């Protein structure tokens, strides 16, 4: 996401307002700017740690109540870094007794190339609610979700996508830590041409 950092943090909303107001970096007597950030000092007094605290990984009560948790994160998200949700998910796995026990009720999907919740270079248009509804109603967790990259990334689309929506390509998105790999044959713009693979060790 490095290429979008200037847009996210150099502009007025994120770069100045967030750190000045929410990050609590601005003394009352001074108007803080991004150029004032002191890498050796400011992180210690920033309120970011309060805004984004560690989350309790003990989800036993949630699981026992029949809860289902479908988490997703854009792999190109510059506002909420993907490493944080991956760290949380792996901590849940260790707390809940391993991957199999966790994926019975909680699955995490990292969408390659997707920005913050929507947009970006990846297949960002995914009907998360339908996948979650199906999991709750049938008891079958999603082993794959199909995403679409739209040439017009406006957010007012509805699912299922109709033929008027400009889809550039589709991709499968698998539960973490699996990711999609092109089979080597077939249309590279079709999700059907990809298979799940585990990360290299």
């Amino acid at each position: 996401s490095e290429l979008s950092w200037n847009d996210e943090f150099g502009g007025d909303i994120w770069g100045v307002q967030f750190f000045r107001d929410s990050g609590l970096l601005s003394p009352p007597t001074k108007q803080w700017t991004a150029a004032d950030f002191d890498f050796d000092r400011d992180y210690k007094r920033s309120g970011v740690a309060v805004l984004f605290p560690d989350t309790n990984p003990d989800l036993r009560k949630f699981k026992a109540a029949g809860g289902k948790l479908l988490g997703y994160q854009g792999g190109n998200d510059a506002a909420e870094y993907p490493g944080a949700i991956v760290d949380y998910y792996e901590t849940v796995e260790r707390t809940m007794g391993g991957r199999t026990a966790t994926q019975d009720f909680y699955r995490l999907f990292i969408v390659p190339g997707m920005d913050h919740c929507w947009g970006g270079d990846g297949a960002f248009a995914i009907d998360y609610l339908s996948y979650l509804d199906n999991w709750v109603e049938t008891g079958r967790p999603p082993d794959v979700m199909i995403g679409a990259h739209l040439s017009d990334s406006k957010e007012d689309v509805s699912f299922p996508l109709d033929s008027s929506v400009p889809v550039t390509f589709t991709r499968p998105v698998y539960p973490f830590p699996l990711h999609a790999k092109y089979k080597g044959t077939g249309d590279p713009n079709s999700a059907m041409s990809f298979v799940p693979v585990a990360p290299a060790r």
Side-chain angles (χ1 to χ4, degrees), residues 62-63 65-71 103-107 132 135-137 139-141:
F62 179 79
K63 181 179 181 179
K68 306 298 181 190
L69 182 58
L70 191 157
Q103 291 200 345
D104 182 52
F105 76 99
Y106 174 23
R107 296 203 170 192
L132 182 59
W135 188 2
V136 171
E137 295 296 328
R140 292 191 300 270

Side-chain angles (χ1 to χ4, degrees), residues 70-73 109 111 114 117-118 123-133 145 159:
L70 191 157
Y72 71 93
Q73 173 79 47
F109 294 82
V111 184
M114 185 173 81
C117 299
W118 187 263
F124 55 82
I126 300 175
D127 186 2
Y128 303 102
L129 186 57
S130 289
Y131 286 105
L132 182 59
D133 277 345
M145 298 192 302
F159 294 97

Side-chain angles (χ1 to χ4, degrees), residues 90-127:
E90 290 179 332
T91 304
V92 171
E93 282 190 346
R94 290 191 297 271
T95 304
M96 299 298 295
R99 181 157 297 153
T100 300
T102 300
Q103 291 200 345
D104 182 52
F105 76 99
Y106 174 23
R107 296 203 170 192
L108 173 64
F109 294 82
I110 304 296
V111 184
M114 185 173 81
D115 292 341
H116 184 62
C117 299
W118 187 263
D121 296 326
F124 55 82
I126 300 175
D127 186 2

Side-chain angles (χ1 to χ4, degrees), residues 17-184:
Q17 288 185 11
F18 176 80
F19 284 105
R20 182 182 63 214
D21 303 329
S22 299
L24 307 177
L25 290 174
S26 178
T29 58
K30 182 181 179 183
Q31 280 296 311
W32 189 87
T33 69
D36 295 321
F37 187 84
D38 184 324
F39 283 89
D40 295 321
R41 175 177 51 89
D42 283 346
Y43 77 93
K44 296 176 184 177
R45 64 190 187 94
S46 171
V48 174
V50 175
L51 294 171
F52 302 103
D54 293 336
T55 306
N56 185 356
D58 185 351
L59 302 178
R60 287 176 295 180
K61 289 182 180 179
F62 179 79
K63 181 179 181 179
K68 306 298 181 190
L69 182 58
L70 191 157
Y72 71 93
Q73 173 79 47
N76 199 45
D77 191 339
E80 303 284 344
Y81 302 117
I85 190 66
V86 168
D87 181 64
Y88 172 72
Y89 176 79
E90 290 179 332
T91 304
V92 171
E93 282 190 346
R94 290 191 297 271
T95 304
M96 299 298 295
R99 181 157 297 153
T100 300
T102 300
Q103 291 200 345
D104 182 52
F105 76 99
Y106 174 23
R107 296 203 170 192
L108 173 64
F109 294 82
I110 304 296
V111 184
M114 185 173 81
D115 292 341
H116 184 62
C117 299
W118 187 263
D121 296 326
F124 55 82
I126 300 175
D127 186 2
Y128 303 102
L129 186 57
S130 289
Y131 286 105
L132 182 59
D133 277 345
N134 185 64
W135 188 2
V136 171
E137 295 296 328
T138 68
R140 292 191 300 270
D143 291 323
V144 61
M145 298 192 302
I146 303 300
H149 178 84
L150 312 183
S151 57
D152 180 355
S153 63
K154 62 183 181 180
E155 298 183 29
D156 60 346
V157 299
S158 58
F159 294 97
L161 298 173
D162 62 45
S163 58
S164 67
V165 177
V167 174
T168 306
F169 60 84
T170 59
R171 288 286 187 276
V173 183
Y174 299 103
F176 177 84
L178 300 177
H179 62 274
K181 181 179 180 181
Y182 180 55
K183 293 190 296 187

